[in-house]
């Protein structure tokens, strides 16, 4: 086992970089399949495979190294024009990429049962047959016999691999990587792309433009089984009268036919040059540290609210004074600094949705091929940023929407031609910011969704009566598609059609404080839009009081607040409703739903909070409105897992605790209470 595996920090870097290389491989292969063979893209893909092979070998992961080497050989044939790109080649390379990803996952989790690489390697070898008869098999352009004269400002070094080195190609790869980190490589003999052919005892000569001092450069090449010698330095001294003679190493064991310059002038790279070569500096930060930092900012927000409240209490008790005014001004300044700090931390936590979107082109490609459909998959808004805490949670909803779009929305090519459409359908995945939300949309130009079919599906499943379905507005009827077992598919496939998926989309998104909207024109396609808050950590919420308990309702879920007389409520089929703005609004008492004692308001007028959940409006009767506040949501522990209607808690400025309502499960609670009432009525 390689010693590098015992270094957790190095392993973590390897996992991250390997994931990046696999992503670049897949994206490049998809681009080649879509746009045709491109030397630039082929070089990028080859470089990704070559880098992954070298780093896998360095870490001692032999199976990974063998498979990436087989991929590299096929890619090299493509680069040389000895094999053209076709579906067999792309399929073999993509399958190998999948195998690599599965192997990485097994290695990360410590699973001893790793995927067998033999089938993938065999598939690569079978498609690696030359179809270019003009180029003799096995002949590659020969490398130059020597390097050109060293240019001014450059340095030439020689690197000799030890005679007893067991992994010469890995050592060569490590040397080139270290050189690229400290310098710009001008030329090398042999070429960097031929490191897989390096043998034990071989000497590699490299010309570089250093970005740092020679001492630091040579120190970075201090690997075992490698001997490094400075051959020539053509840099000029910083000043004409300053030079440093005879600093070259003398190596008696080195080949005698390789000339060594005995005296040279050396100059440290200037600050300007260093900045020019190194570019933007970045730092990797553990996610846990960002979460801790966000929690501390949350505590600052709570403290700021407490100070504001204390200032108001002081003013009420002692009146205006210069001290109180100074405290108030200090509180305002503290609030501004806290807001700025909060914004910067939020930006650090934000990541482009490209990291999620990049996994879908491959899925769409495989699904469309499996279904026999032609799909042009378009992605826009990849640079739109979203809080990293939401990234993983949006994968499943988008997956379900894309599956439905391809399986149900998009027609077969012959059907599209018969309708006068392009045989190739267009499916678009897009993201954009809108105020404090991010909108993610999946649209297609396929069949669209018929509202009447949705009504019929819900009635046939016994979810709603025919009379009730006829009373629904078009928007309300369309929202029925999010109920379990409701589907407009005429047949069940292994992709979709069982009525599961859309309910998962709704539940997952509403759990995140978001909403889902469906727009469709039968025959012209559909657009399903997910609306999400930019972050779940700090949100604007309306505080309401029920009995002695305070609840927080995210402002994103609130339509409006109002008052209603108790005599205005009526009952239809066991459900309390209120005529409101020309519609019938379902109404529920929050205290009764959550079984809070002494919470029922007996006054002639009730406070009403109208919220939108599951695509429908619902009126919640509460005892008091405490105003809107910026709250920091804290997750509840496992002890409170049974509180389905509560998504978290927050600490208010006066030290009291408010419970954050989960609007999605609250809607389910209302429906469950109605179903229980209906069942008891039928039994009675």
């Amino acid at each position: 086992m390689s010693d590098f595996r015992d270094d957790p920090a190095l392993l973590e870097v390897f996992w991250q970089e390997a994931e990046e290389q696999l992503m670049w491989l897949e994206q490049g292969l998809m681009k080649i399949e879509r746009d045709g063979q491109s030397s630039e893209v082929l070089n990028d893909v080859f470089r990704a495979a070559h880098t992954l092979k070298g780093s896998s070998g360095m870490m001692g992961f032999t199976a990974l190294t063998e498979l990436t080497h087989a991929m590299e050989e096929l890619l090299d044939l493509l680069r040389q024009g000895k094999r053209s790109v076709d579906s067999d080649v792309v399929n073999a390379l993509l399958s190998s990429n999948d195998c690599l990803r599965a192997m990485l996952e097994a290695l990360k989790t410590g699973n001893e049962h790793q995927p067998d690489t033999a089938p993938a390697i065999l598939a690569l070898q079978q498609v690696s047959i030359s179809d270019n008869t003009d180029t003799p098999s096995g002949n590659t352009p020969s490398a130059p016999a020597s390097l050109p004269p060293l240019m001014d400002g450059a340095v030439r070094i020689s690197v000799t691999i030890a005679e007893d080195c067991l992994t010469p190609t890995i050592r060569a790869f490590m040397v080139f990587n270290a050189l690229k980190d400290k310098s710009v490589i001008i030329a090398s003999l042999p070429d960097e792309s031929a490191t897989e052919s390096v043998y034990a005892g071989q000497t590699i000569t490299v010309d570089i433009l250093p970005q740092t001092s020679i001492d630091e450069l040579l120190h970075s090449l201090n690997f075992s089984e490698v001997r490094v010698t400075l051959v020539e330095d053509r840099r000029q001294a910083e000043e004409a009268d300053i030079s440093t003679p005879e600093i070259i190493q003398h190596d008696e064991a080195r080949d005698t036919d390789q000339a060594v310059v005995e005296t040279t002038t050396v100059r440290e790279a200037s600050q300007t040059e260093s900045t020019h070569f190194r570019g933007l500096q970045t730092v990797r930060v553990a996610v846990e540290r960002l979460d801790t930092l966000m929690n501390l900012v949350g505590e600052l927000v709570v403290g700021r609210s407490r100070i504001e409240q204390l200032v108001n209490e002081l003013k009420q008790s002692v009146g205006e004074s210069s001290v109180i005014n100074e405290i108030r001004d200090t509180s305002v300044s503290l609030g501004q600094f806290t807001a700025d700090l909060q914004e910067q931390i939020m930006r650090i936590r934000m990541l482009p949705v490209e990291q999620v979107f990049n996994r879908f082109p491959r899925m769409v490609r495989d699904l469309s091929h499996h279904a026999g459909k032609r799909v042009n998959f378009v992605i826009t808004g990849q640079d739109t940023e979203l809080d990293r805490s939401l990234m993983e949670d949006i994968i499943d909803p988008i997956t379900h929407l894309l599956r439905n779009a391809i399986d149900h929305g998009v027609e077969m090519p012959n059907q599209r031609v018969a309708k006068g459409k392009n045989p190739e359908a267009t499916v678009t995945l897009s993201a954009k910011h809108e105020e404090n939300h991010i909108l993610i949309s999946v649209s297609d130009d396929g069949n669209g969704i018929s509202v009447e079919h949705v009504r019929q599906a819900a009635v046939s499943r016994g979810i709603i009566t025919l009379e009730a379905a006829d009373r629904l507005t078009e928007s309300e009827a369309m929202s029925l598609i999010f109920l379990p077992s409701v589907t407009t598919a005429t047949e069940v496939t292994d992709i979709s059609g069982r009525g599961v998926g859309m309910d998962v989309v709704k539940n997952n998104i509403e759990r995140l404080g978001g909403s889902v909207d469906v727009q469709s024109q039968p025959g012209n396609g559909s657009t399903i839009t997910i609306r999400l808050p930019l972050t779940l950590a700090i949100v604007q919420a309306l505080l309401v009081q029920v009995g002695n308990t305070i609840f927080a309702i995210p402002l994103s879920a609130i339509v409006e607040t109002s008052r209603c007389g108790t005599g205005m409520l009526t009952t239809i089929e066991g459900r309390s409703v209120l005529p409101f703005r020309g519609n019938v609004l379902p109404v529920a008492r929050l205290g009764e739903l959550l079984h809070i004692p002494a919470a029922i308001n007996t006054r002639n007028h009730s406070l009403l909070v109208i919220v939108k959940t599951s695509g429908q409006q619902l009126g919640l009767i509460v005892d008091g409105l405490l105003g809107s506040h910026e709250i920091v949501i804290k997750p509840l522990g496992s002890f409170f897992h049974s509180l389905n209607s509560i998504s978290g808690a927050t600490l208010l400025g006066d030290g009291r605790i408010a419970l954050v309502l989960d609007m999605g499960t609250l809607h389910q609670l209302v429906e469950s209470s109605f179903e229980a009432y209906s069942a008891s009525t039928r039994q009675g």
Side-chain angles (χ1 to χ4, degrees):
M1 176 180 293
S2 172
D3 294 337
F4 294 116
R5 297 196 204 181
D6 299 327
D7 187 339
L10 189 57
L11 267 175
E12 184 62 29
V13 172
F14 171 75
W15 301 136
Q16 293 176 357
E17 292 186 348
E19 286 291 340
E20 291 176 358
Q21 302 299 335
L22 290 177
M23 180 186 70
W24 292 336
L25 268 168
E26 186 170 279
Q27 290 178 358
L29 292 171
M30 297 283 293
K31 185 174 180 63
I32 289 172
E33 183 182 46
R34 182 180 67 250
D35 302 334
Q37 187 166 332
S38 163
S39 58
E40 181 180 355
V41 179
L42 269 176
N43 286 332
D44 291 340
V45 173
F46 177 85
R47 192 177 301 112
H50 180 71
T51 301
L52 183 56
K53 183 191 75 171
S55 57
S56 301
M58 182 182 69
M59 299 301 298
F61 297 133
T62 307
L64 280 173
T65 307
E66 292 175 348
L67 181 52
T68 49
H69 180 68
M71 296 175 68
E72 190 182 48
E73 288 184 331
L74 174 56
L75 289 168
D76 198 33
L77 288 176
L78 300 179
R79 291 201 308 164
Q80 297 179 38
K82 296 181 179 180
R83 179 70 166 90
S84 58
V85 176
D86 55 28
S87 59
D88 292 337
V89 168
V90 174
N91 288 335
L93 289 168
L94 285 175
S95 297
S96 299
N97 204 58
D98 292 341
C99 186
L100 288 172
R101 183 169 278 113
M103 292 173 68
L104 280 174
E105 186 62 29
L107 289 169
K108 287 177 66 174
T109 57
N111 189 349
E112 297 180 357
H113 303 288
Q114 297 183 17
D116 184 12
T117 61
I121 293 176
L122 179 61
L124 291 170
Q125 292 173 344
Q126 288 176 340
V127 298
S128 295
I129 301 174
S130 173
D131 59 2
N132 187 345
T133 56
D134 296 333
T135 305
S137 178
N139 291 342
T140 59
S142 58
S146 61
L147 292 174
L150 192 63
M151 61 184 291
D152 289 339
V155 173
R156 177 170 294 173
I157 63 172
S158 69
V159 180
T160 303
I161 310 297
E163 295 283 355
D164 56 351
C165 180
L166 298 178
T167 55
T169 59
I170 295 173
R171 294 302 178 196
F173 174 81
M174 294 167 61
V175 167
F176 276 109
N177 262 9
L179 287 174
K180 285 187 287 188
D181 186 51
K182 302 290 185 182
S183 64
V184 176
I185 297 177
I186 305 172
S188 66
L189 185 64
D191 188 76
E192 181 186 356
S193 62
T195 52
E196 68 273 11
S197 304
V198 171
Y199 53 86
Q202 184 174 3
T203 296
I204 304 170
T205 306
V206 188
D207 290 352
I208 58 174
L209 288 172
Q211 300 176 22
T212 183
S213 67
I214 291 296
D215 288 342
E216 185 177 346
L217 179 67
L218 295 177
H219 181 74
S220 69
L221 301 174
N222 187 23
F223 302 118
S224 60
E225 302 178 319
V226 171
R227 185 174 68 251
V228 181
T229 305
L230 179 60
V231 178
E232 186 177 355
D233 189 341
R234 294 295 301 274
R235 296 179 300 166
Q236 299 298 317
E238 190 75 51
E239 301 293 341
D241 58 345
I242 298 178
S243 63
T244 53
E246 298 186 359
I247 66 166
I248 296 302
Q249 305 174 37
H250 294 269
D251 193 343
E252 296 178 358
R254 195 165 48 83
D255 295 341
T256 56
D257 59 343
Q258 188 169 10
V260 178
V261 177
E262 296 294 341
T263 304
T264 187
T265 57
V266 180
R267 176 176 58 88
E268 294 284 344
S270 68
Q271 184 65 34
T272 302
E273 289 179 331
S274 177
T275 304
H276 172 73
F277 283 117
R278 292 180 183 178
L280 181 64
Q281 299 293 307
T282 59
V283 178
R284 292 183 185 269
V285 179
V287 170
E288 293 77 10
R289 294 188 179 183
L290 289 179
D291 291 339
T292 301
L293 199 56
M294 195 64 189
N295 288 334
L296 293 175
V297 172
E299 297 301 331
L300 279 176
V301 172
V302 173
R304 181 191 66 187
S305 300
R306 178 59 175 158
I307 292 175
E308 291 176 353
Q309 184 170 354
L310 289 174
V311 170
N312 292 331
E313 291 176 0
L314 280 173
K315 289 177 64 177
Q316 292 176 1
S317 60
V318 302
E320 293 283 350
S321 73
S322 59
V323 175
I324 292 178
N325 289 335
E326 288 183 13
I327 295 176
R328 182 191 58 196
D329 294 341
T330 303
S331 173
V332 171
S333 298
L334 179 62
Q336 293 174 346
F337 294 145
T338 304
D340 291 341
L341 179 60
Q342 174 187 329
E343 181 182 357
Q344 293 302 320
I345 298 300
M346 290 298 304
R347 288 185 178 182
I348 294 175
R349 287 170 57 95
M350 303 289 275
L351 295 173
V353 294
E354 179 182 17
Q355 299 194 21
V356 173
F357 283 11
N358 281 340
R359 67 180 60 201
F360 294 118
R362 172 69 187 283
M363 186 193 80
V364 170
R365 177 228 185 229
D366 292 344
L367 289 176
S368 58
H369 285 194
H370 179 77
K373 299 177 180 179
R374 295 173 56 185
V375 174
N376 175 32
F377 186 44
V378 179
I379 297 179
T380 61
Q382 302 100 309
D383 56 346
T384 305
E385 293 186 330
L386 181 66
D387 194 312
R388 53 154 293 277
S389 63
L390 297 172
M391 286 294 188
E392 290 296 324
D393 294 313
I394 65 174
I395 293 175
D396 280 348
I398 296 176
T399 299
H400 285 299
L401 295 180
L402 288 173
R403 281 174 169 268
N404 283 344
I406 295 170
D407 202 36
H408 301 321
V410 173
E411 311 96 329
M412 298 295 289
N414 58 338
Q415 295 173 337
R416 292 181 61 84
V417 172
K419 295 178 181 179
K421 296 182 177 181
N422 189 319
E424 182 179 69
T426 299
V427 175
T428 303
L429 173 62
S430 63
K432 67 177 181 179
H433 280 144
E434 185 178 273
E435 297 179 347
N436 291 325
H437 291 81
I438 181 175
L439 304 185
I440 299 176
S441 299
V442 174
S443 60
D444 65 80
D445 60 351
N447 279 315
I449 303 173
S450 169
V451 175
E452 291 306 314
H453 288 170
V454 175
R455 293 180 197 264
Q456 295 170 10
V459 171
S460 64
R461 297 281 183 175
I463 295 174
I464 191 172
T465 64
L466 181 60
E467 294 77 12
D470 291 338
R471 289 198 299 267
L472 294 177
T473 65
E474 192 166 298
S475 175
E476 292 172 338
M478 185 67 78
S479 67
L480 294 173
I481 201 170
F482 293 109
L483 297 178
S485 75
V486 174
T487 177
T488 58
T490 56
E491 61 178 334
V492 175
T493 70
D494 57 354
I495 298 176
S496 56
R498 296 175 175 83
V500 294
M502 295 302 286
D503 62 319
V504 174
V505 171
K506 178 185 74 68
N507 292 336
N508 286 0
I509 296 304
E510 290 189 347
R511 179 171 54 83
L512 299 174
S515 61
V516 187
D517 177 68
V518 180
Q519 299 292 330
S520 182
Q521 294 182 349
N524 293 321
S526 306
T527 298
I528 301 180
T529 302
I530 296 172
R531 177 185 291 267
L532 287 169
L534 291 180
T535 178
L536 296 183
I538 300 178
V539 299
Q540 291 287 336
L542 174 67
L543 299 183
V544 301
Q545 187 165 358
V546 179
N548 296 322
T549 306
I550 299 177
F551 293 97
I553 304 176
L555 287 183
S556 59
I558 296 177
V559 178
E560 62 178 296
T561 60
S562 181
R563 286 184 178 272
C564 70
T566 54
M568 299 174 62
L569 295 177
T570 185
T571 302
I572 299 178
E573 297 180 351
R575 188 189 297 254
S576 295
V577 296
L578 172 71
F580 188 78
R581 302 194 187 284
N583 294 315
V584 177
L585 178 70
V587 175
R589 293 185 180 273
L590 188 57
E592 292 179 350
L593 284 176
L594 303 179
H595 307 290
I596 299 176
I600 301 176
N601 195 325
T602 57
R603 294 178 297 178
N604 292 330
H605 292 82
S606 298
L607 295 171
L608 190 67
V609 179
I610 303 171
V611 299
K612 186 174 183 179
T613 171
S614 299
Q616 300 180 1
Q617 291 188 2
L618 171 68
L620 296 176
I621 295 178
V622 299
D623 294 342
L625 301 178
L626 305 182
S628 62
H629 293 265
E630 189 176 57
I631 64 172
V632 180
I633 300 179
K634 302 289 186 180
L636 297 175
S638 57
F639 182 77
F640 300 96
H641 71 279
S642 59
L643 299 178
N644 295 328
S645 56
I646 306 299
S647 61
T650 185
L651 184 65
L652 303 180
D654 58 3
R656 290 183 296 173
I657 293 177
L659 300 177
V660 183
L661 291 176
D662 185 334
M663 304 312 299
T665 54
L666 191 68
H667 175 79
Q668 296 175 6
L669 191 61
V670 173
E671 293 299 320
S672 298
S673 63
F674 171 68
E675 291 173 2
Y677 173 85
S678 300
S680 63
T681 303
R682 289 193 296 270
Q683 291 175 358

